[in-house]
Amino acid sequence: QQPVQSPQAVILREGEDAVINCSSSKALYSVHWYRQKHGEAPVFLMILLKGGEQKGHDKISASFNEKKQQSSLYLTASQLSYSGTYFCGTEDTGRRALTFGSGTRLQVQP
Amino acid sequence: KAGVTQTPRYLIKTRGQQVTLSCSPISGHRSVSWYQQTPGQGLQFLFEYFSETQRNKGNFPGRFSGRQFSNSRSEMNVSTLELGDSALYLCASSFGLQGRGYGYTFGSGTRLTVV
């Protein structure tokens, strides 16, 4: 079953912050985050494993709430290069395939 | 190091035909997964291969099949093409199953158009 992402789309000005959420109805083992720019392949950002950790990658970080089966991606002080569609991918504890959400389209304007 | 290579980049086929897509993973990666991407459905999982064995399969009809060779290269085949099969087919390789630990590296995809 596909994880649910919100919001579906967001428009930011450079320097503003954004949060993208991903939730699942299943018990999760891991959550992945990817960014896809138009006409390009999705690019891996980070993976969070069961255990409720938080990770950071420059000004992009993410958290994973194991109890709520939710993950959030935080983009701070957004840059034009952050524009693209962000996908979360979830692996449930049944160790089945990585299932992706429908994506969040993020546009950063000057 | 070389990335994930998918060939061909573009394909136009007629309904009823069959097609074979190829994926060469990153050297050392043993897992290859295939996804279908369409504007309406997003990224839909097709199947995952690890060490030449299919480990997981998505909810696609039997017309969609795949295989993996001893050098980890993978192919997927779609028989009796339908208009609805038009999509971007993405291959992703990883060191472990489901991209554990290091995530997936995606190829640029094969854009299939069925007319």
Side-chain angles (χ1 to χ4, degrees):
Chain A
Q1 194 167 356
Q2 211 175 11
V4 177
Q5 282 187 240
S6 63
Q8 289 185 314
V10 59
I11 299 176
L12 300 172
R13 294 285 183 190
E14 265 188 300
E16 291 182 338
D17 301 340
V19 179
I20 300 171
N21 299 303
C22 174
S23 64
S24 175
S25 58
K26 296 186 174 184
L28 297 178
Y29 176 78
S30 71
V31 179
H32 296 216
W33 286 98
Y34 293 80
R35 176 173 61 210
Q36 185 177 30
K37 293 182 181 283
H38 184 68
E40 298 180 10
V43 173
F44 174 71
L45 294 175
M46 65 188 77
I47 182 173
L48 300 104
L49 300 177
K50 181 179 173 181
E53 62 177 4
Q54 181 153 356
K55 275 194 172 180
H57 178 57
D58 195 12
K59 292 191 176 75
I60 300 175
S61 62
S63 63
F64 176 22
N65 186 321
E66 182 185 340
K67 290 181 181 176
K68 292 186 178 180
Q69 311 307 326
Q70 291 176 349
S71 178
S72 294
L73 185 72
Y74 308 94
L75 300 101
T76 58
S78 58
Q79 306 166 16
L80 294 176
S81 61
Y82 286 4
S83 294
T85 301
Y86 289 78
F87 292 96
C88 70
T90 57
E91 178 190 0
D92 63 45
T93 52
R95 307 295 178 90
R96 304 291 296 179
L98 193 65
T99 305
F100 286 92
S102 56
T104 296
R105 193 176 313 138
L106 183 125
Q107 183 182 353
V108 181
Q109 297 178 339
Chain B
K1 74 186 177 185
V4 178
T5 304
Q6 289 190 247
T7 55
R9 288 295 308 274
Y10 302 93
L11 266 179
I12 300 176
K13 290 286 187 179
T14 305
R15 268 183 303 174
Q17 288 186 312
Q18 77 166 19
V19 67
T20 299
L21 312 182
S22 180
C23 172
S24 293
I26 287 176
S27 178
H29 282 191
R30 296 162 64 190
S31 172
V32 174
S33 297
W34 289 89
Y35 286 85
Q36 181 195 66
Q37 187 174 32
T38 58
Q41 299 294 319
L43 284 157
Q44 298 290 310
F45 171 73
L46 283 155
F47 23 67
E48 179 173 25
Y49 287 88
F50 185 86
S51 295
E52 301 179 67
T53 303
Q54 187 180 89
R55 297 304 180 105
N56 286 303
K57 189 175 190 306
N59 296 324
F60 278 80
R63 300 185 295 107
F64 291 82
S65 63
R67 59 178 175 169
Q68 186 180 34
F69 302 96
S70 58
N71 62 357
S72 293
R73 189 177 72 85
S74 177
E75 289 181 346
M76 68 163 279
N77 185 77
V78 188
S79 62
T80 320
L81 284 166
E82 301 177 358
L83 295 178
D85 297 334
S86 294
L88 179 67
Y89 290 87
L90 290 164
C91 164
S93 80
S94 62
F95 184 75
L97 280 168
Q98 285 101 39
R100 284 175 208 153
Y102 306 100
Y104 284 158
T105 301
F106 282 87
S108 298
T110 294
R111 173 77 60 186
L112 172 65
T113 303
V114 182
V115 297

